[in-house]
Amino acid sequence: MAKFIGAIVVDTEKCKGCGLCVVACPTKVIELARDVNGKGYHYAHMANAAACIGCSSCGLVCPDTVITVYRTKAS
Amino acid sequence: MTATTELKNIINEENVVYKKTSVLLDNEMHYCPGCTHGVIHKAIAEVIDDMDIQEKTIGVSPVGCSVLAYNYLDIDWQQAAHGRAPALATATSRLMPEKYVFTYQGDGDLASIGCAEIMHACNRGESIVVFFVNNAIYGMTGGQMAPTTLEGQVTATSPYGRDCQTTGFPMRISEMLAMLPGTRFVTRESAETPGAVRKLKKAIRKGFENTRENKGISFIEIVGTCSSGWKLSPVKSNEWMKENMFPYYPLGTLKDE
């Protein structure tokens, strides 16, 4: 089991659905949603939340800085 | 414990490991989805935040897509005529030597119309940092050929691919500037992976620290993408950049004195 568990929160209204976080995620947590936001973009969301380790890779490559990353030790 | 309650336990203030820095304003960026400018703005903002120099930094924005950079970074800004950012930054840094002055320019601005300004600013060795975003195309005006456009690359003004017989060869600006005695730190970075962004942030920090010692200019070229101009998706643009740009514009530090 992973030592750290993490989670991300995406500001879905500001996300432009570029998909750079999807390829940057090492544990394949993020996918683009089927729904669209107010601007018509398929925003990023946590599709596989259990796999997130809170590494911040998605946050670093996000051009619009819409991702906040949380991380804590696995209990 | 259900998955939802577990998620709620993780998402609280004390577990935050990465969030938007306060140097970046809340304005929504006008850049296209996946634009490298956003990542570079963020990297600069995070370094300014880390070094705690928000009140002492003055940026000079260019003409091009990044002209509106002053809407996104909460620092003092000036806006220069096309290509003249190094001249404005020279005056600013000489009049206010206690400030951290940087210019932020694209390849249409710096490598084309502003070629003379950057050459002479580098030759004089001004105490400024220059961020040069090279995406091999004029982004704002609709994807025309730039001096840095690769041989054979299709753009709006080279629909059959750039022909070097008639339009010359792609310019390697960093290599040219590294030869000048006034430059202190010349490096070429990228921003497509988390590792590359971390390296870029180290280079930005070094550039800002160098301005304190008056020993020359720091020139940081960032190879970026223009998915709208290249007519590719953001992810495909990064792949195209790795395949085509990196062999001609190799990453790495060219000069560090």
Side-chain angles (χ1 to χ4, degrees):
Chain A
M1 193 174 157
K3 276 185 181 170
F4 288 95
I5 47 172
I8 60 163
V9 173
V10 181
D11 186 345
T12 50
E13 276 310 308
K14 279 191 182 169
C15 178
K16 291 177 187 159
C18 65
L20 294 184
C21 53
V22 178
V23 288
C25 179
T27 54
K28 310 239 179 313
V29 172
I30 311 171
E31 279 178 17
L32 297 183
R34 288 174 66 91
D35 297 337
V36 292
N37 61 15
K39 289 210 163 69
Y41 292 122
H42 294 278
Y43 53 86
H45 77 129
M46 272 208 295
N48 182 16
C52 183
I53 51 169
C55 66
S56 312
S57 293
C58 51
L60 274 170
V61 298
C62 176
D64 294 282
T65 327
V66 296
I67 303 177
T68 309
V69 186
Y70 299 85
R71 183 184 214 188
T72 185
K73 273 188 180 164
S75 51
Chain B
M1 199 159 49
T2 63
T4 343
T5 46
E6 197 179 350
L7 210 57
K8 270 187 189 159
N9 288 340
I10 304 170
I11 299 172
N12 64 46
E13 267 309 300
E14 63 193 44
N15 292 336
V16 171
V17 285
Y18 190 88
K19 66 172 183 179
K20 186 173 185 160
T21 153
S22 59
V23 178
L24 272 180
L25 292 164
D26 282 336
N27 298 336
E28 198 170 323
M29 290 192 182
H30 72 288
Y31 301 120
C32 307
C35 180
T36 318
H37 277 310
V39 188
I40 302 165
H41 283 12
K42 178 171 65 174
I44 295 172
E46 284 174 1
V47 172
I48 289 172
D49 196 11
D50 289 348
M51 291 175 75
D52 199 18
I53 54 169
Q54 188 179 3
E55 299 292 320
K56 291 182 255 172
T57 311
I58 300 177
V60 184
S61 72
V63 170
C65 286
S66 49
V67 62
L68 297 173
Y70 48 69
N71 283 340
Y72 309 128
L73 265 73
D74 192 10
I75 54 171
D76 291 327
W77 281 97
Q78 289 178 303
Q79 205 275 311
H82 204 184
R84 272 64 182 177
L88 200 51
T90 298
T92 312
S93 73
R94 285 189 183 188
L95 290 167
M96 289 182 267
E98 75 283 4
K99 303 280 188 190
Y100 295 81
V101 182
F102 73 87
T103 74
Y104 187 104
Q105 301 174 266
D107 52 343
D109 186 83
L110 184 144
S112 179
I113 192 165
C115 216
E117 267 71 19
I118 190 64
M119 285 289 156
H120 288 282
C122 285
N123 203 31
R124 293 190 305 266
E126 301 295 340
S127 296
I128 57 172
V129 189
V130 176
F131 298 108
F132 168 44
V133 185
N134 176 5
N135 56 12
I137 209 161
Y138 278 78
M140 185 185 74
T141 48
Q144 290 84 357
M145 189 178 74
T148 46
T149 297
L150 299 173
E151 185 172 5
Q153 189 181 338
V154 175
T155 67
T157 47
S158 59
Y160 306 109
R162 181 174 188 170
D163 175 14
C164 291
Q165 291 295 320
T166 52
T167 59
F169 294 88
M171 278 171 103
R172 291 192 183 102
I173 296 283
S174 290
E175 276 82 349
M176 285 159 65
L177 297 178
M179 288 194 297
L180 297 173
T183 51
R184 183 176 188 195
F185 178 49
V186 181
T187 185
R188 189 182 280 122
E189 304 288 337
S190 68
E192 86 287 10
T193 59
V197 179
R198 288 197 179 95
K199 270 179 80 181
L200 170 64
K201 280 172 71 176
K202 269 188 197 158
I204 296 171
R205 193 181 180 105
K206 194 178 180 89
F208 278 131
E209 282 167 356
N210 280 351
T211 60
R212 298 301 87 193
E213 292 164 33
N214 296 325
K215 283 186 182 160
I217 198 165
S218 300
F219 187 88
I220 300 168
E221 173 175 347
I222 301 123
V223 182
T225 63
C226 178
S227 42
S228 297
W230 295 356
K231 316 246 183 300
L232 295 168
S233 74
V235 175
K236 287 251 170 65
S237 295
N238 275 342
E239 285 164 12
W240 191 90
M241 176 176 74
K242 280 183 208 165
E243 266 172 43
N244 299 286
M245 299 272 286
F246 289 179
Y248 196 83
Y249 300 112
L251 304 184
T253 301
L254 292 154
K255 189 177 185 183
D256 186 8
E257 287 176 352

